[in-house]
Amino acid sequence: MNRPDPHTNPHPQVRDLALARELIVHPESWTPELFRKMHFMGGLEIHQQVATRRKLFCRCPAVPMPHEPAAARVYRHMRPTLSEMGTYDGTALMEFKTKKNVIYELIDPVSCTYEMDDTPPFLIDEEALRKSLAIALMMNCKIIDELHVARKQYLDGSIPTGFQRTAIIGLDGWIPYRGRRIRIRQISLEEDSCREVNDVGHEITFRTDRLGFPLLEVVTEPDARDPWELAGICRLLGDIMRSSGMVRRGMGASRQDVNVSIGGSTRIENKGVSRYGYIPRLTCVEALRHKALLELRDELRGRGLNSIEAERHVLDGAELGFAKRSVGLAVLRGWRGLLDWRTQPDFHFVDELRGVVRVVACLDRFPYVYCEHDRADWALPTERWSELRRRMNVGDDDELALVVGPENDVATALDEIIDRCTQALTEAVPKQTRQALADERLTRPDGRRLSGVQTDFERVLPGADRMYPDTDHPPRAVSRDELGRIDDALPEPLWERRSAYRAAGLPVDVVRTLSRERRPAELFEELVTECPGVDPVLIGVTLVQTARHLRREGLLADIGPELARPVFAAVEAGLLAADAVPRLLAEYGARLRGEPGLDHGALIEEILEDYRRLPDDELRGVVSQVHRAADGEGPREPDKRGRYLMGRVRERIGWRAPGRKLEELLAAGLAKA
Amino acid sequence: MTDTPDPYKGYRGRGRELLKRLGARVWSDCTITTDTGEFSGIILPRSEQADDRHIVLKMNTGYNIGIAVERIQSIVEHDYKEAHYKIPEQEFPFDPAKPNVTLLGTGGTIASRLDYRTGAVIPAFSPGELYGACPELADICNLETKKLFGVFSENMGPEQYLITAREIAKQIENGVAGIIIGHGTDTLHHTAAAMSYMLQDLPVPVILVGSQRSSDRPSSDAAFNLQCAAQSAAHGELAEVLVCMFGPTSDRYNLLHRGTRVRKMHSSYRSTFRTLGDTPLATVTPEAPPEPLRRDFTRRDPERKLNLYDVFEERVAIVYYYPNMQPDIIESLIDNGYKGIVIAGTGLGHVNKPLYEPLRKACESGVQVYMTVQTLWGYAQMYVYDTGRDLMELGVVPLANMLPEAAYIKLGWALGMSDDAERVKELMLTPVNGEITEREQYNAYVVLQGGLPEVDAFLHDHWR
Ligand SMILES: [Zn+2]
């Protein structure tokens, strides 16, 4: 089906800015304004695991087991199949060309014969469906009346069936951001794929523990106008999902793909962004790569090249110093110097070739492709190049790319090199799925560190042609009643709660935590309703800041309702001073730690009694006694004396009176004296 | 005859009414307006088993969704895009140096595409289609195909057995190097047994093959199976009726099982076919001819004269005994004129006392009654206990270690061969090709028990 990509950048290439090769090496020039001028468009695909007991299409427990050794292994291959419309998908064919042997490590306690693709799927997990529908409603989506499970083909082996079972559950939603609406294109519920363990040459290994976890895919429209907005939207979406209390957290529980285009380029999908923090830099780098590739096309046209003229030769490896390997040489007419065209901070156009060659031709030895501009210690000596140029009769205007590997793979590699160079002229920025090279992957295969997050080729961007209906599943209707029940149970939207919390005067960190963490937020709402006389700030600060402090001190893991309720009821009844609350909780935690067997309820009662607020007349009596006893003792300077007296009172009554009241009484006494 | 396709394919009741009323049809590229907004895409045919309350739309993202009929206000058709499912067809290359193989199609999912009306899988079958789907086949042999019928495995029966056997005989007459039969897997072993009895003294291999994952899936076993079957038919030395299916569930090698000793043992595993009470004959991969695991097989000999026995008596039943089975089960078979009964008895071949009387009646009225064991492995040894001796006294004949399904097919065939009770009994007790073996070797019964440390260690160290 030839339909426009919904993320089509309608803007033309902008040429009146500095050249990409200058901008790339000057990160200080990367500002929101720069990218807006380039007509940057950014969208997100967020993948978030839903917290469920079971996997989506089998009854295995949904428990990550990253360290469990494999119980057994399965060896498979993937073949492309026909699409529903009767054609083969381009990605599918490309992946088939790579002829990979796929190995699955079966992680016994969490994978069954479904993960082995030896048992058909079971019906969709209802818990996952209910929670996903709730999140789709939170993002204001139109819910699909009847869900149809589809198969999204992945021939890279990441799913043993060769396809991911997925169903759209919601469409056309929105979330508010900086006074406007960010449009949600669709939300689907799908099974998570395997985790890759190893990928060398023609063999790739996957683990099956994560496989089949319910995974929400939230796709936004390309509404971000600069890389920093993209990061902000990503963070907001993450907070909204987290605030539902229905999603899994921790390592690998959520992944973001960012879709980037600029005026004149097309959408490129960048996978594997594991942290929000990487998004702005990654996105800047990718947008500038587009700019660099557009400018490369300008350069090629400027040289009068309207098509690619290339020669391919397969040479004897031994002669060139590569024993037992074939050497492929591509002669690119008129391209002199252009493999050295800078595309990213550490990468040049030759690295674009390295990416496709590594993936498609399965070459497994870095650097895959050699050119005359290589500067690393593995670079081929200049004499070798001159000799090649002489021998192959290469003109001064021509550029050379050399690949080394097994004979068959070298032939594929030469095809890919010439294809990629052709794309430089035709599409400038070819449609691709790219991988973010971040955190642990910041080291290049040659051992050099990258200067920061950059992107590398992963595969050709798949089209709609890879979607097939799943004949193993009947459609699942979502009734109005069912939706009504889910809707009724939803918390107030995150953004509305945020403004309410702010209006109540809660500190910023408390607003943030309460708006995305379901449990403390619910407790907060309950306590505020139950104790109208207590300052909501005290409740919020206690549940967030005090709780955090006590957790760090190792005194108390959590402030739950069984503890918070009697404490705030005592404050409400005037039996407990507000400023005594943190001390009381600390004491509670300390005593419990010392004697874990204590009855929790009785302990709270007991401590509350110890902290019980003194009646005003009793308090006055204590204050005047302290005044009398301190007569002639302690510091004289008024401020110091105040603190001294306060200390003496506290010695006698602890926290059984609010500080402000004591100050008041002490001040009155000092004045008298 | 003109074939006007139904413009509302699969839709019934309210859904069909709505499409008619709004002037939309299946394959309309359209915009549907509902009370919550617009949806754009192509209207797909609907599965006939699905309800009549939703219209299925394929969106441009490739996803399908169902829209409730009651919410639809209007449908505007922009275009009409009927899909034509076709496997790219390329002429199957002919190489005079390669052996000629004929693939006979009975249905099943060797190569297939999806039918979106029923969600069913339609077999792709012409050599050109097969070549399009699995070009590697051309490296192995020259291929002709003939579609005998398109039935699901469970609908294969005597009529289909006879047609298939006769067609194989004809192909052999024409001098092919080997024959492949594409077949659904559920009753593949019944057909394999039938071919074993009907086609005796084969000069060339007859290979039955199916797939456990249809070829509309990237992980399908179909292409692998087909290539292994082609290797076996074109280059194999084993001229018998053989089932060629996955050894392990990994893409490593296939096993060649003797047609009378093979059985489907798992409802969904790739490696579902196992040889029972014996060992398989050979392994085979897509890259090379079969490698025999044993020596006692019939070798390819194009000069050998095939004997075709294309007969089958349909009034035969298999009775799976269970505790407290009542006499009326057997009586109804007698009353309905059945000529043969194969019992799958317990243990060494036993049934309860209440069945003695009807079984005596059956034997006396000329119904042939045979005993096999529902344990699948081991022999019916009815002389060991009184129960067994009593049954033999009644006229029930033990069939040694013949599998119940192989016995059922054989009895149908034997009753077709002769009306004479003694002759039938003789045919039943004389093995054609391994359905009864004289001895059971030490490794003929291996069902490894997972959970034992040594077994789990084995599973860990070998491809599953
Ligand atoms: Zn499972």
Side-chain angles (χ1 to χ4, degrees):
Chain A
M1 283 183 296
N2 288 319
R3 284 154 175 265
D5 186 331
H7 176 158
T8 306
N9 197 312
H11 306 284
Q13 179 181 352
V14 178
R15 289 192 173 85
D16 56 1
L17 297 166
L19 288 177
R21 60 170 177 264
E22 311 284 334
L23 295 168
I24 288 171
V25 293
H26 288 107
E28 69 282 0
S29 66
W30 305 351
T31 59
E33 293 66 39
L34 172 70
F35 291 93
R36 290 191 189 200
K37 280 184 197 150
M38 287 159 54
H39 299 301
F40 174 92
M41 282 170 71
L44 290 156
E45 283 176 31
I46 302 210
H47 298 93
Q48 169 69 58
Q49 290 175 354
V50 186
T52 54
R53 281 182 300 278
R54 287 169 166 174
K55 292 190 178 184
L56 191 56
F57 291 119
C58 70
R59 281 76 186 266
C60 285
V63 179
M65 292 206 151
H67 307 299
E68 180 77 16
R73 296 179 310 154
V74 177
Y75 181 93
R76 297 267 169 78
H77 301 91
M78 298 291 160
R79 295 180 77 89
T81 65
L82 275 186
S83 87
E84 188 175 355
M85 306 309 272
T87 49
Y88 283 108
D89 175 44
T91 324
L93 282 178
M94 183 202 95
E95 283 169 340
F96 186 56
K97 266 201 270 176
T98 65
K99 291 206 176 66
K100 283 257 185 186
N101 302 323
V102 187
I103 295 167
Y104 297 105
E105 295 188 343
L106 304 177
I107 311 305
D108 167 52
V110 292
S111 35
C112 63
T113 48
Y114 172 69
E115 282 88 340
M116 295 167 67
D117 188 35
D118 268 319
T119 290
F122 297 87
L123 291 178
I124 197 163
D125 182 67
E126 288 291 325
E127 183 188 8
L129 183 55
R130 192 178 63 244
K131 290 180 170 172
S132 306
L133 289 171
I135 291 169
L137 285 170
M138 288 171 74
M139 296 187 185
N140 303 297
C141 284
K142 291 191 277 185
I143 302 299
I144 303 303
D145 299 325
E146 188 186 59
L147 310 181
H148 287 247
V149 178
R151 302 172 178 176
K152 196 194 282 180
Q153 275 204 3
Y154 284 100
L155 297 179
D156 59 359
S158 59
I159 305 191
T161 48
F163 50 78
Q164 181 182 41
R165 292 194 159 92
T166 170
I168 284 207
I169 58 168
L171 284 170
D172 301 340
W174 58 266
I175 54 165
Y177 177 74
R178 292 192 179 169
R180 65 185 207 269
R181 284 184 174 186
I182 301 299
R183 295 165 300 156
I184 308 289
R185 185 187 305 159
Q186 69 177 53
I187 298 188
S188 39
L189 174 58
E190 54 195 34
E191 53 187 350
D192 206 343
S193 57
C194 289
R195 217 146 36 78
E196 183 183 313
V197 178
N198 198 358
D199 179 7
V200 182
H202 287 273
E203 196 159 282
I204 187 162
T205 306
F206 293 101
R207 279 175 69 87
T208 56
D209 55 338
R210 194 185 75 184
L211 173 66
F213 272 45
L215 189 68
L216 270 183
E217 187 200 54
V218 179
V219 183
T220 74
E221 296 292 347
D223 288 348
R225 297 173 298 199
D226 65 58
W228 292 269
E229 275 199 2
L230 194 67
I233 295 166
C234 187
R235 198 181 170 106
L236 174 60
L237 280 167
D239 283 353
I240 291 172
M241 288 196 266
R242 209 168 140 173
S243 76
S244 72
M246 297 175 186
V247 298
R248 195 174 289 279
R249 299 182 38 189
M251 271 297 285
S254 77
R255 276 121 46 209
Q256 292 86 33
D257 299 348
V258 300
N259 293 325
V260 174
S261 68
I262 61 169
S265 84
T266 45
R267 170 175 79 105
I268 297 296
E269 187 176 302
N270 295 276
K271 285 202 166 304
V273 189
S274 52
R275 291 187 212 161
Y276 304 126
Y278 288 132
I279 291 179
R281 189 189 150 96
L282 173 95
T283 312
C284 290
V285 166
E286 179 60 17
L288 289 170
R289 190 183 70 93
H290 293 206
K291 191 168 187 305
L293 290 174
L294 291 168
E295 286 161 9
L296 173 63
R297 180 169 64 186
D298 291 345
E299 170 71 21
L300 287 165
R301 286 177 177 163
R303 292 185 184 193
L305 295 170
N306 294 313
S307 63
I308 292 295
E309 231 188 283
E311 266 176 39
R312 26 177 310 165
H313 307 277
V314 176
L315 310 171
D316 180 9
E319 258 178 59
L320 291 156
F322 296 101
K324 293 183 186 161
R325 314 203 89 191
S326 257
V327 169
L329 179 72
V331 182
L332 303 162
R333 301 271 178 233
W335 271 61
R336 187 75 196 245
L338 295 185
L339 293 188
D340 202 30
W341 191 266
R342 187 182 289 284
T343 53
Q344 296 186 64
D346 300 338
F347 295 144
H348 298 83
F349 190 77
V350 66
D351 295 291
E352 296 271 322
L353 304 183
R354 289 187 172 122
V356 288
V357 161
R358 174 180 55 79
V359 175
V360 183
C362 290
L363 291 185
D364 57 355
R365 286 196 209 164
F366 187 80
Y368 322 110
V369 177
Y370 295 85
C371 73
E372 287 167 281
H373 317 285
D374 297 332
R375 292 291 166 264
D377 46 9
W378 43 257
L380 298 183
T382 326
E383 314 82 72
R384 183 83 56 81
W385 289 109
S386 340
E387 187 201 313
L388 261 178
R389 281 186 169 271
R390 260 197 316 278
R391 214 175 97 193
M392 306 311 294
N393 220 349
V394 179
D396 283 348
D397 296 338
D398 304 338
E399 185 83 335
L400 297 179
L402 197 133
V403 280
V404 182
E407 197 177 330
N408 284 343
D409 295 342
V410 160
T412 316
L414 284 175
D415 290 347
E416 290 305 321
I417 286 174
I418 291 167
D419 278 2
R420 181 64 191 84
C421 291
T422 307
Q423 288 168 339
L425 201 51
T426 52
E427 300 163 60
V429 184
K431 291 195 173 196
Q432 295 176 340
T433 299
R434 299 181 66 82
Q435 49 175 324
L437 301 172
D439 38 69
E440 74 274 8
R441 288 154 105 179
L442 267 181
T443 310
R444 282 163 57 136
D446 64 350
R448 280 190 304 171
R449 297 278 300 172
L450 293 179
S451 61
V453 184
Q454 280 158 95
T455 70
D456 195 6
F457 177 78
E458 184 171 280
R459 57 168 181 256
V460 176
L461 191 67
D465 279 356
R466 64 170 173 160
M467 300 291 300
Y468 304 70
D470 186 17
T471 48
D472 299 324
H473 281 275
R476 159 74 158 79
V478 179
S479 74
R480 294 282 171 98
D481 286 354
E482 185 180 5
L483 266 190
R485 280 193 301 276
I486 295 171
D487 201 19
D488 288 347
L490 284 187
E492 227 182 306
L494 172 99
W495 46 91
E496 285 173 24
R497 290 194 350 249
R498 262 188 195 169
S499 30
Y501 294 148
R502 275 192 213 109
L506 295 178
V508 180
D509 62 322
V510 176
V511 171
R512 189 163 164 77
T513 304
L514 288 186
S515 60
R516 61 182 196 182
E517 309 252 347
R518 189 82 183 263
R519 259 168 53 92
E522 277 174 0
L523 186 54
F524 174 81
E525 305 292 344
E526 278 170 34
L527 292 170
V528 167
T529 318
E530 285 166 20
C531 314
V534 181
D535 183 359
V537 176
L538 173 68
I539 301 178
V541 165
T542 304
L543 294 181
V544 176
Q545 292 179 352
T546 309
R548 185 168 53 221
H549 172 75
L550 294 176
R551 195 160 49 238
R552 285 186 187 151
E553 296 288 306
L555 288 171
L556 208 53
D558 182 34
I559 300 178
E562 67 297 331
L563 179 58
R565 277 224 175 78
V567 169
F568 287 106
V571 178
E572 172 81 6
L575 298 174
L576 182 65
D579 46 6
V581 171
R583 274 112 193 154
L584 177 145
L585 290 169
E587 183 171 337
Y588 171 82
R591 287 186 56 185
L592 210 53
R593 196 173 58 172
E595 257 183 284
L598 285 178
D599 178 273
H600 295 199
L603 181 62
I604 297 171
E605 291 297 316
E606 193 187 319
I607 298 179
L608 276 174
E609 197 48 45
D610 293 346
Y611 279 77
R612 192 190 177 92
R613 196 170 154 174
L614 291 177
D616 282 359
D617 49 345
E618 225 174 287
L619 197 59
R620 253 181 237 113
V622 173
V623 170
S624 40
Q625 281 169 25
V626 167
H627 267 300
R628 256 178 272 131
D631 199 17
E633 284 177 38
R636 302 226 157 257
E637 196 264 312
D639 271 8
K640 285 185 184 166
R641 179 145 191 90
R643 281 198 292 278
Y644 167 78
L645 289 173
M646 180 72 94
R648 301 295 300 270
V649 176
R650 287 279 185 221
E651 271 167 28
R652 296 179 63 152
I653 65 158
W655 292 88
R656 299 180 62 180
R660 198 172 303 155
K661 181 82 188 167
L662 277 182
E663 275 167 16
E664 212 175 87
L665 290 174
L666 283 170
L670 283 176
K672 256 193 277 169
Chain B
M1 207 174 78
T2 55
D3 184 21
T4 327
D6 179 4
Y8 313 107
K9 222 157 135 191
Y11 288 92
R12 55 195 171 83
R14 280 175 282 182
R16 197 179 179 88
E17 279 308 304
L18 179 93
L19 289 179
K20 277 187 187 170
R21 185 158 53 79
L22 298 180
R25 54 193 167 149
V26 160
W27 307 119
S28 284
D29 189 350
C30 63
T31 300
I32 298 183
T33 306
T34 72
D35 54 8
T36 54
E38 290 184 348
F39 299 88
S40 292
I42 296 173
I43 297 180
L44 287 186
R46 189 159 170 85
S47 158
E48 276 159 358
Q49 296 92 21
D51 67 35
D52 69 342
R53 300 193 311 272
H54 299 90
I55 304 294
V56 188
L57 197 68
K58 180 170 204 67
M59 302 193 302
N60 59 10
T61 50
Y63 281 90
N64 295 351
I65 58 171
I67 303 174
V69 165
E70 76 221 25
R71 302 202 299 112
I72 295 178
Q73 292 160 350
S74 71
I75 303 179
V76 178
E77 181 179 306
H78 311 299
D79 204 348
Y80 178 81
K81 290 189 174 167
E82 180 164 0
H84 295 284
Y85 317 115
K86 224 172 142 32
I87 288 179
E89 201 163 337
Q90 275 174 284
E91 199 179 340
F92 200 100
F94 180 82
D95 176 355
K98 292 202 165 72
N100 299 330
V101 168
T102 298
L103 169 60
L104 300 177
T106 65
T109 52
I110 272 291
S112 51
R113 52 195 161 87
L114 280 175
D115 174 346
Y116 292 91
R117 188 174 57 91
T118 57
V121 175
I122 301 173
F125 196 64
S126 72
E129 286 176 328
L130 282 175
Y131 182 61
C134 183
E136 299 98 316
L137 283 174
D139 299 336
I140 303 172
C141 59
N142 299 315
L143 193 70
E144 289 286 332
T145 63
K146 185 163 182 181
K147 185 177 173 182
L148 298 180
F149 20 78
V151 298
F152 287 118
S153 183
E154 61 271 23
N155 298 324
M156 285 292 289
E159 188 194 333
Q160 287 76 22
Y161 300 153
L162 296 174
I163 295 171
T164 309
R166 287 171 193 146
E167 183 61 37
I168 292 170
K170 207 167 100 190
Q171 293 293 335
I172 290 174
E173 187 89 350
N174 293 344
V176 296
I179 286 162
I180 304 172
I181 303 172
H183 199 293
T185 55
D186 283 4
T187 65
L188 184 62
H189 51 293
H190 294 84
T191 305
M195 293 308 111
S196 300
Y197 310 132
M198 291 179 182
L199 298 158
Q200 298 187 20
D201 306 305
L202 280 169
V204 296
V206 171
I207 310 294
L208 287 94
V209 66
S211 80
Q212 282 289 86
R213 294 285 94 78
S214 55
S215 61
D216 57 304
R217 302 160 195 254
S219 65
S220 171
D221 54 342
F224 193 91
N225 284 338
L226 204 49
Q227 293 169 65
C228 288
Q231 284 285 3
S232 308
H235 306 287
E237 269 307 297
L238 303 89
E240 297 188 15
V241 175
L242 301 167
V243 168
C244 176
M245 291 289 286
F246 266 44
T249 184
S250 288
D251 295 353
R252 302 299 297 184
Y253 57 87
N254 272 19
L255 290 172
L256 291 177
H257 304 276
R258 196 160 255 161
T260 56
R261 291 235 64 94
V262 64
R263 199 171 185 281
K264 187 175 185 181
M265 298 302 287
H266 193 280
S267 62
S268 54
Y269 252 74
R270 287 166 173 75
S271 49
T272 177
F273 283 93
R274 300 282 102 174
T275 290
L276 270 56
D278 207 343
T279 53
L281 297 188
T283 59
V284 57
T285 64
E287 291 80 30
E291 290 190 18
L293 293 166
R294 35 196 281 191
R295 295 188 199 178
D296 56 336
F297 58 84
T298 308
R299 283 175 194 279
R300 179 191 288 273
D301 176 6
E303 301 304 313
R304 192 182 298 123
K305 182 83 189 74
L306 169 76
N307 283 304
L308 170 69
Y309 303 106
D310 50 341
V311 291
F312 201 91
E313 167 55 56
E314 297 199 16
R315 302 203 72 74
V316 177
I318 188 163
V319 171
Y320 194 96
Y321 172 75
Y322 48 87
N324 199 33
M325 180 177 270
Q326 297 299 307
D328 54 2
I329 299 281
I330 305 294
E331 280 157 6
S332 73
L333 290 172
I334 304 171
D335 295 348
N336 284 298
Y338 274 74
K339 293 187 174 170
I341 299 173
V342 171
I343 302 172
T346 57
L348 293 164
H350 303 137
V351 297
N352 62 1
K353 274 249 163 58
L355 291 195
Y356 286 14
E357 205 36 52
L359 285 175
R360 177 198 310 283
K361 212 169 100 189
C363 292
E364 280 172 358
S365 60
V367 180
Q368 297 258 333
V369 185
Y370 291 91
M371 181 64 76
T372 59
V373 292
Q374 52 184 247
T375 56
L376 302 178
W377 273 272
Y379 288 79
Q381 286 167 302
M382 299 172 65
Y383 47 82
V384 175
Y385 294 108
D386 285 348
T387 337
R389 287 196 282 265
D390 291 345
L391 284 167
M392 293 212 297
E393 194 80 358
L394 301 173
V396 177
V397 180
L399 281 181
N401 65 343
M402 205 186 296
L403 294 169
E405 295 83 4
Y408 159 76
I409 296 287
K410 191 168 188 191
L411 186 52
W413 171 78
L415 283 166
M417 291 289 283
S418 174
D419 290 331
D420 176 58
E422 279 313 303
R423 173 66 183 142
V424 171
K425 189 170 164 187
E426 190 195 335
L427 285 171
M428 287 305 289
L429 294 174
T430 313
V432 171
N433 194 22
E435 66 272 28
I436 289 176
T437 63
E438 287 189 323
R439 51 188 285 276
E440 185 183 273
Q441 67 272 36
Y442 82 102
N443 56 357
Y445 168 61
V446 182
V447 181
L448 292 177
Q449 196 75 73
L452 293 170
E454 65 271 29
V455 173
D456 287 354
F458 175 86
L459 296 177
H460 178 269
D461 296 341
H462 296 78
W463 293 110
R464 287 291 294 126

